[in-house]
Structures are given as C-alpha cells and as structure tokens.
Amino acid sequence: PAAQSPRFEAPGEGRLRAAEGCERQGTAFGTGLRFLPVEHEGNRRSSVEEAERVRAAIEEMLGGDYTDAKGHTRLLRASDFMVVAPYNAQVHRLRTVLDAAGLEQVAAGTVDKFKGQEGVIVYLSMAASARTDVSRGMSFLLQRNRLNVALSRAKWAAIVVCGLCGGFGHFMVAQAHRYASAATLGPFLYQQIIYMALWGWLVFGQV
C-alpha cells in the first residue's frame, strides 16, 4: 500500500486499491515512493551519472531481506530489480553500466517494454539534467500515464532518479499537472523563454 497509494491517487481517482497481501511486503530498506537526486549538467537523453548511481544503489540492496505478499522472506537478487527510462539512449547507457558490473539480470527498458510486468524494486531514471535540457519536451517526460505505468511496475518500492538541479523543477511541474490540464499550464512553461532572455541581457548584455 505504501508504494501503491501515491501513484494511484490521481490516475485512479480513489477507485484503485492495493491488492490483498501487499501490507505484508517489505524489507529493511522500507517501502513507498522515493526521490534519489544525482548531480549532473547538460544531459538531455542519457546520463552516465544516473546510471552509475542506480548501479551503486542496487549493489547496496542486493542480499537484503525481502518479504513477499505471502509472508515468505528471502534475499533480494538481481532479477528483483527493474530500471525504467524515458529514452532509449538512457536504456543503452544503463545496460552498459549494469552489464559491466555483472548485473545482467537487472532488467532495463522504456515504459513500453515493461507494460504488464513487475519488479520488487523499480528505479525510474529521468536522464535529463534540467527542464531546459529535456528532449521531446516536459509534456513527454512528465506525461501522467507514462509515469503511472513506470512507477506502478514496483511491488514495494519505486525510486525516481533525476538531476539535483532539475529535480525540484520536475517535482513541481508534476504536482501542477495533478491540478490543471496541459493546456492550462502551457503558457506558464513558455515563460521560461522570457526569463532566460532577461537573464542574458542583465548578465551578459545580450539576448
């Protein structure tokens, strides 16, 4: 329930509930939706910094206790982890880093690849450093349905990995989409052009 309630609250409008037995799941690492900031700059569709951070986090969790919905406890293995990314470029980067560390059994792919599948722990690697670096626009990166599919792959923990500088911006835009449509928010997102032009004139004397 701790992992499922946040991600189902908006899309399900209160109609979706955690499956029976989910309350018995968990590990010493806790449950639910988490944010893992990683500092990087200038990344648009792939981030080696995020890939390395995901690898390190998975290695730290391997061998930890996991209790399933039936109350059975065992050790976490590589196949329990899943890494989702919005861009194929980041999937390739993740695959390279994970394979080099001997984590070939950790699944990595885009949202479309994992529909209908689940992992005990799911990492969502956003790749882009900041809002201005986002490839294909924020409407693609933070599309509600795609985010819901990505995060709902997790059985007990969903961990969002994104740039430290852009993380707060991603979070605020995601929150805004819970209360207003994309058409309503569009004009506010375009204001960044005005702010950048003004900043360029004040600091560098040119636009």
Side-chain angles (χ1 to χ4, degrees), residues 18-145:
E20 184 178 353
C22 284
E23 69 279 0
R24 291 191 289 271
Q25 294 185 137
T27 76
F29 304 110
T31 62
L33 181 63
R34 304 182 184 180
F35 171 57
L36 181 61
V38 180
E39 187 172 356
H40 54 77
E41 296 181 3
N43 295 328
R44 292 177 58 81
R45 293 182 299 170
S46 69
S47 168
V48 65
E49 296 89 348
E50 288 189 16
E52 290 290 355
R53 185 66 186 90
V54 169
R55 173 200 56 77
I58 291 175
E59 289 179 337
E60 291 173 3
M61 290 184 169
L62 281 174
D65 289 340
Y66 163 61
T67 302
D68 63 22
K70 295 181 179 180
H72 300 152
T73 300
R74 62 172 175 79
L75 301 182
L76 284 168
R77 44 182 179 256
S79 58
D80 292 321
F81 295 86
M82 181 182 292
V83 189
V84 185
Y87 308 110
N88 286 319
Q90 181 63 359
V91 173
H92 295 323
R93 178 77 70 179
L94 286 161
R95 191 71 275 158
T96 299
V97 171
L98 292 171
D99 289 351
L103 298 173
E104 295 88 351
Q105 293 185 1
V106 175
T110 61
V111 170
D112 298 327
K113 176 181 178 180
F114 292 130
K115 285 183 179 179
Q117 301 182 45
E118 287 185 322
V120 176
I121 305 169
V122 172
Y123 285 88
L124 174 58
S125 178
M126 305 297 279
S129 296
R131 189 172 62 185
T132 52
D133 295 319
V134 173
S135 177
R136 300 175 65 178
M138 292 293 289
S139 59
F140 169 79
L141 188 65
L142 297 179
Q143 187 181 55
R144 179 183 292 184
N145 290 341

